[in-house]
Amino acid sequence: MSQEELRAFVKKNAEALKQARKGLARECRVPLGYSATNTTHIRNLSIIKRLAFGLSAEGWLAEMENRPADAEEAYLTVIRLGCAMSQGGLIIDSLVSIAIEAIGTARMAKLAPTLDAKQCREAAAAIEACEAQREPTEAIWARERAWARRIWGFKGQIARLFQFRVLKQNEQKWLAKVTAQQTRTRLLLVQLAARAYELEKGERPKNLADLVPAYLKAIPQDPLTRTNMAYHS
């Protein structure tokens, strides 16, 4: 879209974007349906993904108009949407969540070098808050199995035993996607905190410990090793 087309699109959808922000200020949870033929859930996921693109367009317009603070707010809202929309959901919700969060983190990573120290601090705090609410993959996988048992019953569970290898491969692919996106999000968190530190102190932090507790509440964990992330100045 051109700048004028973006402006018209954002204006047309301003009320929807406003309502999305109001919703994200509340507790979010997926309303699980226990029907194998119910397509409402899938349609809702598509709508939420379109909402993420709408919010991202708002941020892109703000960048074009040299409004970095507004762009930051829009991209952080996309990240919040990605984190919130899968709460209490299944693997399919998690996959859409990953796609939405990826949109926000990619745009924020490109915007970060243009932000001032205060904006970087605020963005880091917002992402840390999202990370604190993130559900562990073990909880999602356990809910997925419970959902399948309720939907397919005993015969379905027997059938799943014959598909064990395929199901295990699918689980591993999903876990790889979760890990990759969590890594990108936490690297962005470090990027923002380190930039705020550098802008305020005139030098790069020597290690992540330098950022705690003034810029980060705690050193982010590597999603793969579950140990403190490494940092090179």
Side-chain angles (χ1 to χ4, degrees):
M1 289 184 179
S2 68
Q3 188 168 341
E4 286 304 315
E5 289 171 330
L6 270 176
R7 188 176 293 113
F9 175 81
V10 169
K11 182 178 180 180
K12 179 181 178 181
N13 293 282
E15 184 59 28
L17 300 178
K18 178 182 175 181
Q19 291 300 320
R21 286 177 168 84
K22 287 179 66 176
L24 286 170
R26 303 171 183 175
E27 183 180 354
C28 301
R29 195 163 185 83
V30 175
L32 285 184
Y34 291 93
S35 169
T37 58
N38 185 356
T39 60
T40 301
H41 192 178
I42 303 299
R43 288 198 301 271
N44 286 342
L45 290 176
S46 177
I47 290 169
I48 293 172
K49 197 168 183 179
R50 292 207 304 273
L51 172 61
F53 284 122
L55 290 163
S56 184
E58 192 178 47
W60 182 232
L61 176 63
E63 284 194 73
M64 286 182 170
E65 295 177 343
N66 195 28
R67 295 183 284 113
D70 291 336
E72 173 195 31
E73 191 279 333
Y75 297 144
L76 286 175
T77 303
V78 175
I79 295 172
R80 288 192 191 98
L81 177 63
C83 291
M85 62 140 296
S86 63
Q87 294 290 325
L90 304 172
I91 286 178
I92 189 170
D93 302 288
S94 174
L95 288 169
V96 177
S97 169
I98 290 167
I100 290 175
E101 193 175 336
I103 294 169
T105 53
R107 293 307 314 169
M108 270 299 301
K110 291 182 179 180
L111 182 68
T114 70
L115 301 178
D116 61 30
K118 180 175 180 293
Q119 291 164 343
C120 287
R121 277 178 173 271
E122 291 172 347
I127 293 173
E128 263 197 320
C130 288
E131 284 290 300
Q133 296 174 2
R134 192 187 296 277
E135 283 190 309
T137 53
E138 293 84 359
I140 300 171
W141 184 239
R143 193 159 49 238
E144 178 82 17
R145 293 198 302 269
W147 183 87
R149 284 196 297 271
R150 182 164 172 179
I151 289 294
W152 307 114
F154 179 72
K155 290 182 179 180
Q157 294 306 303
I158 296 297
R160 284 170 67 88
L161 289 175
F162 290 99
Q163 299 174 332
F164 177 79
R165 180 174 295 179
V166 174
L167 292 172
K168 193 65 178 178
Q169 289 174 345
N170 289 340
E171 179 193 1
Q172 290 171 344
K173 289 178 182 178
W174 165 65
L175 287 172
K177 290 181 179 180
V178 172
T179 300
Q181 182 51 47
Q182 286 183 5
T183 299
R184 287 191 290 268
T185 300
R186 292 173 191 182
L187 287 173
L188 172 61
L189 176 59
V190 170
Q191 178 189 359
L192 290 163
R195 174 166 171 78
Y197 181 102
E198 183 178 11
L199 289 172
E200 292 183 347
K201 297 185 180 295
E203 62 180 6
R204 300 284 292 175
K206 295 180 178 61
N207 51 57
L208 291 184
D210 288 347
L211 302 175
V212 180
Y215 300 89
L216 294 172
K217 291 182 178 178
I219 297 175
Q221 298 286 292
D222 185 314
L224 190 61
T225 65
R226 301 195 179 186
T227 59
N228 288 347
M229 294 187 78
Y231 173 78
H232 304 286
S233 59

